[in-house]
Structure formats: C-alpha cells, structure tokens
Amino acid sequence: MTDENSLVLRASEISIVFGGLRAVSNFSCELHKNELIGLIGPNGAGKTTVFNMLSGIYTPTEGTITFWNRQGKQCLINKFSPAQHNLLGISRTFQNIRLFGKMSVADNVRVALHSQRSINPIDALLRTARFREDEKMMTDRVDDLLSLFKIIDKKNDLASNLPYGEQRKLEIVRALATNPSLLLLDEPAAGMNPQETIELMNLISFIREKFNLTILLIEHDMKLVMGICERIMVLDYGRVIAEGKPDEIKSNPQVIKAYLGQEALDA
C-alpha cells in the first residue's frame, strides 16, 4: 500500500484524445518525494503529451491527476492552468528551449520570481520601502541561483548569446526559481555533446539533492537515463509497456523490441 505521506503526484488512468486519435491511453504513475524518474519511449509515443497533461497545458479527456504540495495538502489539478500548476509547485522545461532571447540572463530568471512577490501596485508606483526590499530580495535570489550554476558572469548577457549548453542550464535555473517541489525536464540533453551530457547528469543529481525536489525527465540519451534514474517508465503508442529499475528496463524483451534495440542486450 502506498504511503501517501511520501507522494508528490499521482496520475490515475489519464487519457487524452485529439480528433478521435487517442494519444495517451490510461497512463498511471506515482511520483514520490525526492525521486528521480525517467520517462522513455520511441518518438511519437506520447511522452511530451504526458508532460503537457501533468503541467496543465492539456486537460486529460479521462482520468485524474492529484498533487501534494510541500505542506502535504492534496489537490485535484486536472483542470488547473499552467500558471496554477506553477503556483502549486510544478515547474518544467521544454524540448525546444524557450528562453526570452532578447532579455538578459538575469531577467530571464527574474521573470520566474514574480509569482513570489509580496508587493502591491501601490508599492510599485510609489517605490515604497517594501518595494525596495522586495526588489533587493529578487536581485539577491537571481544572483544566488546564477552563482550556484556558475553563470553569474553572464548575468547581463542576452540569453540568446549564451552557448547552447548554458542556455539549457539557464532554462533549468529559471524553472527552479519558482521554487518547485516537482520538476519536469523534457529532453534536457537534446543537442548536447558528450561532455555537456556528463555535466548535465551531475547537474541533475545535484539539483535533486540541493533543492530537495522530485524530478521526472524525458530523455533519449540512454546513458544519461540509465546512469541517474532510480526508476524508469516506458511508453509506446501512448501506453505504459514497462516500469522498473534501470537494469530491469534494460533487459525487458518488450522494451528492447519497442525501443532500445538489440544493442541493449550487448551493452
């Protein structure tokens, strides 16, 4: 029996239909505090569609999604907007980087902090002491995060001018600025070279421990997935075909046939 005290999110038999096409069918999962879980499968299997339902971009046609915040309060979030998901403590990155390219590195992170502000429009208009204190809090928080991820020296650069690997890092920093308890990473290693991927593996493990959060990631790089995930779910044609520890997934005949290929047996 599941210990609900450790639960962060539970998806129960969620499905979504687009114009008669069932993109995801009866997907269920339980995510627990401080877990690092992988979601893998062939292109078109429905992985990003699952993320879009878990983050409020899509509303499931069927099933329920329940979220437990840091205080342990349980909430049914099926029909919540992405902004409501974010306020509850669910944050995500995207397969295609979605930074504000014409804004500075610091301002990209600063944008994510606005939901945590305590001032009102009058404070902003009159530049009150509370406004100045709030501005300092935001600046300090931005600097702390950028320092932690070793891109503080780029804080005034345009986000679009960062190298690709640092743009990926900045997107993760921006997601973390919202103080999530659940972080969804959609193909964080996409477009990275082998060295950048190794650094990303270390970064993800560091994030999980430093920020005490749960991470669910989609990734095609099996070295990364097998190297850092404690548990892996496999999707094919919108359905979960396997779930287990990396060694179990690696040797699962159904997963090998649908996704990993014969090389998994020889690795």
Side-chain angles (χ1 to χ4, degrees), residues 19-228:
L21 173 66
R22 187 170 284 262
V24 173
S25 183
N26 300 320
F27 176 86
S28 295
C29 72
E30 289 187 347
L31 308 181
H32 296 262
K33 291 178 182 177
N34 209 228
E35 271 196 304
L36 209 173
I37 311 104
L39 180 62
I40 66 173
N43 288 328
K47 303 182 298 297
T48 296
T49 301
V50 167
F51 263 34
N52 286 341
M53 288 190 284
L54 298 184
S55 59
I57 294 173
Y58 295 157
T59 300
T61 308
E62 303 165 6
T64 60
I65 305 172
T66 306
F67 182 72
W68 284 258
N69 65 15
R70 288 191 185 274
Q71 290 71 46
K73 184 179 179 181
Q74 178 179 336
C75 189
L76 190 66
I77 62 173
N78 289 46
K79 297 182 179 180
F80 280 23
S81 69
Q84 289 173 305
H85 280 68
N86 190 259
L87 286 172
L88 279 174
I90 301 174
S91 191
R92 70 168 293 179
T93 65
F94 292 86
Q95 181 177 348
N96 298 313
I97 295 174
R98 298 190 183 183
L99 295 173
F100 300 109
K102 300 304 180 184
M103 290 170 58
S104 72
V105 167
D107 283 344
N108 265 270
V109 181
R110 196 178 184 87
V111 162
L113 291 169
H114 277 276
S115 63
Q116 301 171 47
R117 304 196 76 168
S118 58
I119 61 169
N120 58 46
I122 299 299
D123 289 319
L125 181 65
L126 299 178
R127 297 295 195 268
T128 63
R130 188 162 70 162
F131 171 81
R132 294 192 298 273
E133 183 179 335
D134 191 73
E135 284 287 297
K136 183 179 185 303
M137 178 277 295
M138 291 184 67
T139 299
D140 290 346
R141 177 66 172 155
V142 169
D143 287 351
D144 287 347
L145 284 167
L146 293 178
S147 296
L148 191 62
F149 288 87
K150 297 180 173 58
I151 48 176
I152 185 67
D153 59 318
K154 306 286 183 68
K155 66 178 291 185
N156 295 317
D157 294 1
L158 291 180
S160 59
N161 290 341
L162 291 180
Y164 184 85
E166 291 187 347
Q167 288 190 29
R168 281 282 179 196
K169 186 183 289 188
L170 176 59
E171 191 176 39
I172 294 173
V173 172
R174 186 176 62 183
L176 290 170
T178 65
N179 193 32
S181 53
L182 173 60
L183 178 63
L184 308 174
L185 301 177
D186 193 348
E187 296 199 32
M192 288 188 170
N193 61 43
Q195 181 57 40
E196 288 173 332
T197 299
I198 291 171
E199 291 173 359
L200 178 66
M201 290 174 67
N202 295 331
L203 179 65
I204 292 172
S205 297
F206 166 77
I207 288 169
R208 194 255 299 254
E209 297 304 323
K210 177 69 176 179
F211 293 89
N212 188 31
L213 46 69
T214 302
I215 298 175
L216 175 64
L217 64 87
I218 294 171
E219 188 51 65
H220 284 292
D221 189 314
M222 287 300 100
K223 182 178 180 181
L224 185 151
V225 173
M226 298 292 177
I228 64 173

